Amino acid sequence: MEIVDPESVELSDNSFVFILTSFFVGLTCNDILSRLYKDGKPIIYHIKESDKDLFTARSRGWLEFYKEHIDDLICVGEWLNDEESVENFIEHIRCYCEYKCWELPHITTRYKYFYGNEGEKLYRHLDDEVWLNCGSSTGDNIFSYFRQGLNAKHIFAIEGDRLDCQRLKDNIALLPEKYRTVVDIHNIIISSDTNIDVILKGEKISLINADIEGAELGLLQTMESVIVKDRPVIAICVYHKKEDIIEIPKYINGIVTNYEFKFRKYQPGIDCVSLGHELVLYAIPKERMI
């Protein structure tokens, strides 16, 4: 993404400018509009809820990909044994193939990775959970975890962005000592070159989550020996790439046995017009099933 000075942009008579104003209010919004008005009075059109279908959820390559992988989709669908997972799976495919918005209910964001709708228990939580939290950002999921009364022996918080990682450290420092001391922060991106044993310090991992912008499958491949040995619950985002909804469950199913698969859809951020974000695959070992 290129960041430019708005004052340096010259608009022609037939220019269209799309501005996401979700994060701008009051005087900031007025400042944005005043910059647009400097070359004459533009026509301002505000996108309404009913207009959202004008926007495509993803590139048109998704439809062709799914047509070419019908057998794979059927295979993944057969691994799902609860109605909500099947509905979310079908809606995901429909949403991206028809270039439409998500039309089913969303689950409240605070439950992401831990519960389904209205606190539905998806797997058995442990009092001595050892959690590999990949894509920790500024700590929102960690705060949600503790706010819901869940306990952990150790949380390995992994964040690759330097600035976000500093904010993560600042935020974790605000927690009471009993929570703060279990969080171990690492400013790294886990890859095939990562010595994961150095990070985990011999701990047995019981929960892995990841929302890392399309690098989820690579993370699982790097963590394969840990997953096979420790059999953790895996809660991983599958919406970044068209292949993920097929390749990620197939990969997990290929390296472990007696795992149950569920799809749950969480409320996306206010900046997501397509509402196609936040689809999470849960892979749950038999011994952690409810």
Side-chain angles (χ1 to χ4, degrees):
M1 177 182 295
E2 181 182 4
I3 300 176
V4 299
D5 180 0
E7 295 287 0
S8 67
V9 177
E10 294 186 4
L11 302 178
S12 63
D13 291 339
N14 61 349
S15 293
F16 288 86
V17 180
F18 291 86
I19 302 175
L20 171 65
T21 58
S22 302
F23 302 110
F24 306 106
V25 295
L27 293 176
T28 306
C29 271
N30 285 336
D31 184 51
I32 292 173
L33 292 175
S34 68
R35 291 172 185 260
L36 292 176
Y37 273 88
K38 68 184 179 66
D39 291 324
K41 186 174 182 180
I43 298 174
I44 306 297
Y45 182 83
H46 297 281
I47 300 298
K48 303 185 293 295
E49 185 73 25
S50 59
D51 296 322
K52 288 183 177 179
D53 281 349
L54 296 172
F55 293 83
T56 61
R58 280 295 188 271
S59 70
R60 296 177 183 273
W62 289 57
L63 175 59
E64 287 72 21
F65 176 82
Y66 289 141
K67 283 182 176 179
E68 294 171 0
H69 293 81
I70 291 176
D71 290 343
D72 291 323
L73 291 171
I74 293 173
C75 181
V76 173
E78 289 176 344
W79 294 337
L80 309 175
N81 63 1
D82 73 297
E83 184 176 348
E84 186 171 350
S85 293
V86 173
E87 290 176 350
N88 285 329
F89 181 63
I90 293 172
E91 177 67 2
H92 174 88
I93 298 168
R94 185 206 66 81
C95 180
Y96 290 117
C97 288
E98 295 182 359
Y99 324 122
K100 299 291 186 178
C101 296
W102 189 276
E103 295 181 356
L104 295 181
H106 300 86
I107 300 172
T108 304
T109 305
R110 69 177 180 272
Y111 293 141
K112 184 181 177 185
Y113 306 129
F114 315 127
Y115 294 104
N117 202 23
E118 299 300 326
E120 170 202 13
K121 293 183 179 180
L122 298 173
Y123 59 91
R124 180 169 55 85
H125 292 281
L126 306 177
D127 286 334
D128 60 348
E129 199 87 80
V130 179
W131 174 20
L132 183 64
N133 175 218
C134 299
S136 299
S137 186
T138 58
D140 52 332
N141 295 131
I142 295 174
F143 275 74
S144 290
Y145 183 86
F146 288 133
R147 188 168 62 243
Q148 293 174 80
L150 298 173
N151 299 306
K153 175 185 176 183
H154 207 147
I155 298 175
F156 296 98
I158 310 297
E159 175 51 50
D161 183 86
R162 180 178 59 82
L163 294 178
D164 277 350
C165 191
Q166 184 56 56
R167 292 176 64 193
L168 170 64
K169 292 177 180 178
D170 294 341
N171 290 339
I172 295 301
L174 300 174
L175 288 171
E177 183 178 2
K178 69 174 183 176
Y179 300 128
R180 183 176 68 245
T181 54
V182 305
V183 182
D184 188 0
I185 299 173
H186 296 267
N187 182 203
I188 62 168
I189 297 174
I190 295 178
S191 69
S192 58
D193 297 325
T194 304
N195 188 336
I196 198 66
D197 294 330
V198 171
I199 296 173
L200 302 184
K201 303 174 183 177
E203 293 270 21
K204 180 179 178 180
I205 297 298
S206 60
L207 174 63
I208 297 175
N209 85 283
D211 186 350
I212 48 177
E213 310 308 318
E216 288 82 4
L217 180 58
L219 168 73
L220 295 177
Q221 292 169 337
T222 298
M223 297 291 299
E224 178 174 331
S225 61
V226 173
I227 293 170
V228 172
K229 174 174 63 72
D230 295 347
R231 293 180 59 81
V233 170
I234 300 171
I236 192 162
C237 290
V238 290
Y239 65 87
H240 293 102
K241 296 179 177 178
K242 58 183 178 295
E243 309 97 301
D244 284 347
I245 200 169
I246 294 174
E247 293 187 358
I248 289 178
K250 285 189 70 174
Y251 180 78
I252 296 172
N253 194 58
I255 63 173
V256 291
T257 57
N258 292 321
Y259 264 64
E260 181 174 307
F261 294 93
K262 298 178 182 289
F263 286 111
R264 291 296 184 269
K265 177 68 167 60
Y266 296 86
Q267 180 68 47
I270 57 176
D271 60 324
C272 177
V273 175
S274 75
L275 302 186
H277 291 74
E278 310 306 329
L279 182 67
V280 175
L281 170 71
Y282 290 88
I284 308 165
K286 181 180 180 180
E287 56 271 25
R288 294 285 297 276
M289 294 175 191
I290 300 296

